[in-house]
Amino acid sequence: MAKYLVIVESPAKVKTIKKFLGANYDVEASNGHVRDFPKSQFGIDVENDFEPKYITIRGKGELLAKLRKAAKKADKIYLATDPDREGEAISWHLMKALKLDEQKDKKVYRISFNEITKNAVKASLKEPRAIDENLVDAQQARRMLDRMVGYLISPLLWAKVKRGLSAGRVQSVALRMICDREEEINAFIPEEYWTLDAQLHVHGSRKKLTAHYYGDKDGRKAIHS
């Protein structure tokens, strides 16, 4: 019976990592995220400190049941999702979905590695840590902004522009910047301007000195004709 359970994101990593760790380790995959906002609801309680509402992603029920069964058999559980903000959030969601934080008899650790090699995987097991709540909060903030912007602006796009268009926290802001810049370009009135340079001979030097007209003692002056 495996004493330790390692949960990674990608099923493609399972066989390789299990080969590195041996018979005492069971390695399973979450296949990415296991919880998210419901598609049919806003999912964020704006009136109550933006409290999120998460549900199990459709099709992940059997997978979570399998992971719960594996976790029940293990003495230690290592959440080895990807070493980034999304990976940190997936580990946090796994802990909540599997109720690992409620099981006092289980030791749960977060580990991460940047490459799938024997040395990297084994080194990560020697430096387990707690879940980084700051990274989790950052991912939740990103996901909430996507949801709030998308759910509030997309219906407007469907009504005014074209059905099926989507809005998000990135492309909506970028589009605004592009539109503002386009308005500046259209409003620009060309003006004639000149630059004035003088090539000066410096006594005792073969190299000429280039002087560029800037203005006078009162500051910069433009030459319009």
Side-chain angles (χ1 to χ4, degrees):
M1 181 184 293
K3 295 180 181 179
Y4 313 117
L5 171 65
V6 178
I7 304 177
V8 296
E9 277 187 53
S10 171
K13 300 175 182 177
V14 169
K15 190 174 180 180
T16 304
I17 293 175
K18 184 161 180 59
K19 183 175 67 175
F20 292 156
L21 298 179
N24 285 334
Y25 288 83
D26 182 17
V27 184
E28 300 287 349
S30 70
N31 288 325
H33 280 276
V34 294
R35 300 198 309 172
D36 198 6
F37 297 131
K39 288 187 176 181
S40 58
Q41 301 173 26
F42 191 48
I44 303 168
D45 191 346
V46 179
E47 300 298 326
N48 291 294
D49 201 24
F50 294 89
E51 184 68 27
K53 176 185 179 182
Y54 293 113
I55 62 169
T56 300
I57 294 173
R58 182 175 293 181
K60 290 294 182 81
E62 288 185 14
L63 174 65
L64 284 175
K66 180 182 177 182
L67 292 176
R68 286 190 194 100
K69 190 174 181 180
K72 194 174 182 180
K73 297 176 182 177
D75 297 326
K76 293 182 181 180
I77 300 161
Y78 296 95
L79 301 172
T81 49
D82 290 353
D84 54 20
R85 181 177 60 185
E86 290 297 319
E88 204 72 22
I90 290 172
S91 283
W92 181 80
H93 280 293
L94 282 168
M95 181 172 282
K96 296 296 181 182
L98 302 176
K99 297 182 178 179
L100 299 178
D101 52 344
E102 298 177 11
Q103 300 179 33
K104 303 303 181 184
D105 59 326
K106 301 290 183 184
K107 293 183 178 179
V108 184
Y109 303 101
R110 170 78 168 111
I111 60 172
S112 59
F113 35 83
N114 293 309
E115 56 183 30
I116 310 302
T117 62
K118 188 172 185 179
N119 287 340
V121 173
K122 288 205 165 187
S124 71
L125 291 170
K126 294 177 181 178
E127 296 182 356
R129 60 175 175 82
I131 288 176
D132 188 333
E133 297 289 345
N134 288 331
L135 279 179
V136 174
D137 288 344
Q139 190 276 340
Q140 288 193 94
R142 179 203 66 78
R143 187 69 187 93
M144 286 182 183
L145 284 171
D146 269 342
R147 174 56 62 102
M148 287 188 287
V149 173
Y151 267 54
L152 296 176
I153 298 181
S154 292
L156 182 64
L157 289 177
W158 300 341
K160 301 294 183 181
V161 184
K162 183 182 177 182
R163 187 78 185 173
L165 295 175
S166 65
R169 80 192 193 287
V170 175
Q171 67 262 40
S172 299
V173 177
L175 182 60
R176 172 60 184 267
M177 292 170 70
I178 292 170
C179 290
D180 286 348
R181 183 61 177 151
E182 185 68 17
E183 287 181 357
E184 289 178 7
I185 293 170
N186 292 333
F188 177 73
I189 300 173
E191 290 184 357
E192 180 179 355
Y193 75 95
W194 294 80
T195 59
L196 180 61
D197 292 342
Q199 293 285 325
L200 306 176
H201 290 282
V202 181
H203 182 69
S205 174
R206 293 181 181 180
K207 191 175 180 182
K208 292 180 180 179
L209 173 68
T210 300
H212 177 77
Y213 175 73
Y214 177 85
D216 56 27
K217 63 180 182 179
D218 295 324
R220 185 163 187 165
K221 292 288 190 297
I223 304 174
H224 294 294
S225 66

